Amino acid sequence: MTQPFGYFVHHQGRGHAERCAAIANALPVTRPLTIFCARDDIFPALPAHVDIVRIPSLFEPVGDEAGTMDDIATPATLHCAPLGWPGIRHAMATIAGWFDTANPALMICDVSAEIAQLARICSVPHVKIVQHGDRGDQGHRAAYDGAAGLLAAFHAGLAQPEWDAAMLAKTCFAGGLGVDTRVPERELARQRIGVGADEEMILVLSGGGGDGFGQAPLGVGARARPDARWISIGPVQRDWHATEPSNIEHRGWIDNPADYVAAADLVIASTGNTTCQQILAAARPWLAIPEWRYFDEQHRKAGALAAAGVACVRPHLPSSADAWKAALAETIATHRPDAQRAMIDDTPADDVAAWLEGLAAKLWTSAPTIISSPDLTGA
């Protein structure tokens, strides 16, 4: 029987589950896949040869788990490893038990430094998902250095400058992985969302990984460009002091974000991975505003986008009418649609599946290395 792949999926946001589903659907039907995740309701359609095993969250305490041993320092090689949490023990035992019985060819980790290191300790080769951010700490380095391969769900042109040759050599880059990057026709998209053909539309897009932008600065922006129609989708933080003009409306969660991106003349959005791929594929002028994330993930991604010339970046939403006017003008003046489209690969999921299959074949068909047992007798 073909050795299975394992796949740990972080349950925050949507990008982790979406790229897992894309890979699952691109893998050969002869390759069994077992997914470990704290939720089983966040995945797009999965093929029949895929199983989902629910495990407790590694990041959220249950019952009396929290705070009992917080005085014990966390070693630098770990990120989230609190003591005394039965949920973590159960999750790790479930995965380790599967390692023992399934004899997997690979374990894909998206994302947890602890799960990656568990695979290595259990003698299972792992593929670590690489994300942007300041991740030179010992925990990330242990996960990266011990990996058989690294997978980046973005174009190689967005690599961070400090990633060295050794790291890049074992990284598979896949721009657009896990995102439907088909772009609707602009006029049809406008008809579907109720925007006139001649209206200037500014889209404010907030993804599922955070709380959205503040209402007050968006109101300042709408007042600074009163002839444009401003529409926000996703969450918006309500501000009691916000005074919004009539040219902005908040539509909340919608089922067709691609229509809104395709219809927009300009997009204001954070730099979450799904959001990035959608905007780059649609090649729209983009004012990128990074949100707070661990390890400054979105800020470092914003820096990579700016360096590649595919987005205009501000550290936060402009705070005055003049600042809004300057930011919007720069976004339009520096727009490079061809450079944006070049960030999206034609068949990223198929490319990744082929790379994973090739990596597994290389690992498991190589001549084994014989290591002498250590002398434990003391003689």
Side-chain angles (χ1 to χ4, degrees):
M1 179 179 175
T2 302
Q3 289 176 273
F5 288 169
Y7 204 133
F8 169 77
V9 177
H10 196 313
H11 61 283
Q12 181 185 18
R14 299 180 181 181
H16 307 286
E18 288 170 346
R19 57 182 169 244
C20 173
I23 294 171
N25 281 285
L27 286 170
V29 295
T30 55
R31 178 69 71 181
L33 177 66
T34 297
I35 298 170
F36 299 89
C37 186
R39 291 178 59 181
D40 57 9
D41 61 343
I42 59 174
F43 294 88
L46 294 167
H49 61 281
V50 175
D51 294 321
I52 301 179
V53 176
R54 287 196 62 176
I55 58 174
S57 172
L58 305 178
F59 317 101
E60 300 160 283
V62 177
D64 298 329
E65 288 182 338
T68 56
M69 304 182 199
D70 286 348
D71 57 322
I72 308 298
T74 301
T77 51
L78 300 174
H79 294 149
C80 182
L83 293 172
W85 284 26
I88 291 180
R89 281 199 298 275
H90 179 68
M92 294 297 192
T94 300
I95 295 172
W98 181 81
F99 286 162
D100 184 40
T101 58
N103 186 31
L106 285 174
M107 180 67 177
I108 304 159
C109 183
D110 187 5
V111 284
S112 163
E114 288 74 30
I115 296 292
Q117 292 182 65
L118 175 70
R120 182 60 193 251
I121 291 169
C122 290
S123 197
V124 175
H126 72 272
V127 169
K128 182 71 171 65
I129 303 294
V130 176
Q131 301 183 116
H132 288 91
D134 294 323
R135 302 180 191 270
D137 59 275
Q138 293 183 41
H140 278 108
R141 291 314 318 176
Y144 294 164
D145 294 344
L150 303 173
L151 175 57
F154 47 85
H155 191 274
L158 298 179
Q160 290 179 196
E162 71 271 21
W163 294 347
D164 61 24
M167 181 174 174
L168 295 175
K170 67 177 182 179
T171 301
C172 174
F173 291 92
L177 177 65
V179 180
D180 186 352
T181 55
R182 294 172 297 179
V183 181
E185 199 277 323
R186 182 176 183 273
E187 297 307 320
L188 291 177
R190 287 193 162 218
Q191 291 174 21
R192 284 193 288 265
I193 68 173
V195 173
D198 297 327
E199 289 186 277
E200 181 187 15
M201 175 190 160
I202 294 178
L203 174 67
V204 180
L205 171 59
S206 297
D211 297 324
F213 294 119
Q215 184 182 20
L218 296 179
V220 175
R223 289 183 183 279
R225 202 173 184 89
D227 294 333
R229 182 172 179 181
W230 292 57
I231 298 176
S232 78
I233 58 175
V236 172
Q237 297 180 35
R238 302 298 176 179
D239 295 319
W240 66 267
H241 51 85
T243 55
E244 292 189 325
S246 60
N247 65 320
I248 186 169
E249 58 182 300
H250 304 293
R251 298 193 179 182
W253 289 113
I254 47 86
D255 295 326
N256 56 333
D259 280 337
Y260 284 82
V261 175
D265 292 298
L266 185 148
V267 179
I268 301 164
S270 58
T271 56
N273 190 63
T274 299
T275 298
C276 285
Q277 309 306 320
Q278 289 178 325
I279 299 171
L280 293 173
R284 292 294 181 261
W286 179 14
L287 177 58
I289 311 292
E291 295 184 70
W292 184 92
R293 291 291 186 274
Y294 291 104
F295 305 104
D296 265 347
E297 176 184 336
Q298 289 208 6
H299 285 273
R300 292 304 308 274
K301 186 181 294 182
L305 292 164
V310 294
C312 177
V313 174
R314 292 290 189 274
H316 51 73
L317 289 175
S319 58
S320 67
D322 285 347
W324 268 110
K325 291 175 183 178
L328 296 176
E330 181 180 338
T331 301
I332 295 169
T334 59
H335 182 217
R336 299 172 61 212
D338 290 342
Q340 289 178 311
R341 293 188 189 97
M343 294 286 114
I344 304 299
D345 295 322
D346 292 334
T347 56
D350 290 339
D351 295 344
V352 170
W355 176 76
L356 289 170
E357 289 294 321
L359 179 61
K362 177 182 177 182
L363 290 169
W364 290 96
T365 58
S366 299
T369 300
I370 299 175
I371 303 174
S372 299
S373 300
D375 182 356
L376 302 179
T377 65

